[in-house]
Amino acid sequence: MTANRIVIGMTGATGAIYGVRLLEVLAGSRFETHLVASEWARKTIAIETGRRPEDVFALAHRTYRVENQAAAISSGSFLTAGMVIAPCSMKTLAAIANGLADNLVARAADVVLKEQRKLVLLVRESPLNAVHLENMLKLARLGVMIVPPVPAFYAKPRDLDDMVDHTVGRVLDLFGVEHALVRRWGGDSLLERPLDGHVQ
């Protein structure tokens, strides 16, 4: 069962659509999703996407209350492939970096860390201050994947959905989830084409 379970955390940072889209794609995959969302994640989902949080949560195979420290995902004996927090607030980043497992999002991440499983954080903030950067560096040195949702313009996104799908697709790549969300780089053939009709 290890390779077939992914824990999804959602916090109150902007970018709720990343967690929503991740759940949508995984719902049609062989992976079992275990979702925990903070109270502010619920509010951000409603504000940014116009969806009811309950409808989003229904995409997961199982959901947990953020205050439920007795949940299955709070134990290392519950086998998973790892965890994605999308989006990840700076508060949650700080809690994970400093071992402050004060809610189930942070506790589940702490479990993934101690069991040396894959932890992926879609951190959302700009500009970044020194505290944010130090927390990211601290976790990166422990093997945590820090994945700010930065658009890839080489993929020539047509709209916001394309930008979201590219980031979500790259996260799914990290877990070996098959998908068709990403327009992949095919080498330097694009560089050989003149951009304005003139050879550079």
Side-chain angles (χ1 to χ4, degrees):
M1 290 297 294
T2 306
N4 292 332
R5 291 174 177 157
I6 298 178
V7 180
I8 308 294
M10 295 183 69
T11 71
T14 187
I17 189 60
Y18 292 105
V20 173
R21 187 65 176 134
L22 191 60
L23 287 167
E24 286 177 340
V25 177
L26 286 171
S29 76
R30 64 183 176 84
F31 285 82
E32 184 179 295
T33 50
H34 292 254
L35 171 68
V36 54
S38 71
E39 184 58 34
W40 277 104
R42 298 175 64 93
K43 298 181 190 306
T44 306
I45 289 168
I47 292 168
E48 294 186 350
T49 73
R51 305 189 196 195
R52 295 191 325 136
E54 293 74 17
D55 294 336
V56 171
F57 298 165
L59 294 167
H61 290 87
R62 186 163 179 188
T63 60
Y64 304 90
R65 297 188 313 275
V66 72
E67 68 275 10
N68 182 11
Q69 296 278 29
I73 58 174
S74 70
S75 172
S77 65
F78 185 76
L79 301 178
T80 72
M83 181 177 188
V84 182
I85 302 182
C88 180
S89 66
M90 292 299 106
K91 176 183 177 182
T92 299
L93 173 75
I96 298 167
N98 292 282
L100 183 61
D102 60 341
N103 64 33
L104 187 56
V105 176
R107 171 58 187 170
D110 192 59
V111 166
V112 169
L113 267 179
K114 79 182 182 70
E115 299 295 330
Q116 298 184 4
R117 298 170 187 162
K118 193 178 298 292
L119 179 57
V120 179
L121 306 181
L122 272 68
V123 291
R124 279 292 299 116
E125 188 60 272
S126 182
L128 297 166
N129 65 36
V131 173
H132 303 152
L133 293 168
E134 287 173 357
N135 284 334
M136 288 183 209
L137 179 59
K138 185 176 182 179
L139 289 175
R141 284 175 169 157
L142 295 174
V144 176
M145 299 288 291
I146 306 296
V147 186
V150 178
F153 292 103
Y154 67 79
K156 294 184 172 56
R158 294 162 297 181
D159 51 29
L160 186 58
D161 288 342
D162 277 358
M163 292 183 180
V164 170
D165 276 357
H166 185 88
T167 295
V168 169
R170 294 306 302 276
V171 169
L172 294 172
D173 286 347
L174 298 173
F175 288 89
V177 180
E178 294 183 9
H179 64 85
L181 300 181
V182 174
R183 182 181 178 190
R184 300 189 184 278
W185 181 252
D188 60 2
S189 58
L190 291 176
L191 301 178
E192 297 170 1
R193 288 187 236 160
L195 298 179
D196 57 3
H198 299 285
V199 177
Q200 300 294 318

